[in-house]
Amino acid sequence: MDPSPSSPVPEYKPTKTQEDQWVVESQIFHNYNLFCNSPPNLQAVLLEIQRDNHIEYLMKGLRNLGPSFVVLDANRPWLCYWILHSLALLGECVDVALERNAIDFLSRCQDEHGGYGGGPGQMPHLCTTYAAVNSLITLGGRRSLKSINRAKIYSYLRRMKHTSGGFSMHDGGEIDVRACYTAISVASVLNILDEELTQGVGNYILSCQTYEGGIAGEPGSEAHGGYTFCGLATMILINEVNRLDLASLTDWLVFRQGIEGGFQGRTNKLVDGCYSFWQGGAAMLIQRLHAATDEGHDSAESDEGSTSSELSDDEESDSEISPDQEEGHDCEVDQVDSASIPVHIVRRHTELPPLFQSHALQQYVLLCSQMEGGFRDKPGKHRDFYHTCYCLSGLAAAQYSWSKDADSPPLPRSVLGPYSNLLEPINPLYDIVLDKYYEAREFFTKASEL
């Protein structure tokens, strides 16, 4: 019997995803080739943070926004945070008049029953509450911090608590990991976090960790960089991080950094400058958790099984966090007061290298996202305040990823470009500049004692 003629091989046709990826790679490597073929003096200029241009862009936005920004009318506290935090990362302060205007405006966004809306008279929302609180902490000073009504915010957070263990974004709003993070972050930084707020949160976030290892916005959805950061930071703040499968989460996270040097937010998606923080900040947190485990092991060896660690100047833990535990695995857990956890994380001494290619990330931000005033998602996109904020936050995370602890400035080799590129350090749990976080922590600790 004669064999049947072979079927013709169908012509290969790339998917839209592949085509888009190739276009982005072409644009990015065009930038990199221009840099590599430039003389050394021009390379030095290209790798320099254009501080003055960024500050001018940010100050202009803080003073006045054009009519096109009307679409962000419900996000005005976010605009304050993105701009003020970017300025703080660059080491720039606003003048007294702008500071007072910002405080007065945000006070008018504060609802009489608690929480902050997207503008004066608007419904309070957890996201804009987070943005407003972070903005006021970033401004700093007694007037700014005292303007936050902690008692009413606590009542608002209680009202947003959902029977699932998570939180609603607003009255009748969606329940997701963002809501958990913004609620717990605000409660933690204001020193009003208690068991009523944390109850069930860990179970909800655990239900959102996917088969890939990352965390989705809600159960059954796709793992996403922003939600992964939110879920991880929340679990650290409520002291339940050991319940996550951190080994799987770490694998998923590190493979989100592609050949472009930057991070993508999801599998098979394009690189985006904002994930420099959402993924880079999450990696920074995991690095600190690994350091906590290593210190626990060292302490156990020296003390024959008993572990202790310096959490703050006068607090001790009973045991250490393991970053490799899945739910149900044996693991010793840090039984520490939740209020001490943010200090515990940022002060953690570490000899571990970063979990991602920090120079590659800095290269992407400086050569592909940076513009002459502001930052963008990727080549071909426009600058905006959101990407400016999170590109700078990610750049700070990359610069300090080699630092042994919060009080040790990075070595020059850790900072791509001139050392003058060095930004202010952050507390990655909140994405607040570190000295502003310490000021707020002291203020709200004293306020709780009154």
Side-chain angles (χ1 to χ4, degrees), residues 32 256-264 271-272 276 360-361 364-365:
Y32 291 162
R256 301 286 68 77
Q257 187 175 24
I259 60 173
E260 309 92 340
F263 281 101
Q264 60 181 184
V271 66
D272 186 332
S276 302
L361 180 60
Y364 177 80
V365 172

Side-chain angles (χ1 to χ4, degrees), residues 2 10 34 40-41 51 121 132 140 191 205 220 239 296 316 331 349 380 393:
D2 293 333
L34 285 177
N41 59 335
R51 285 180 183 268
N191 200 26
I205 292 176
N239 206 16
E316 287 190 348
C331 176
H349 181 88
S393 295

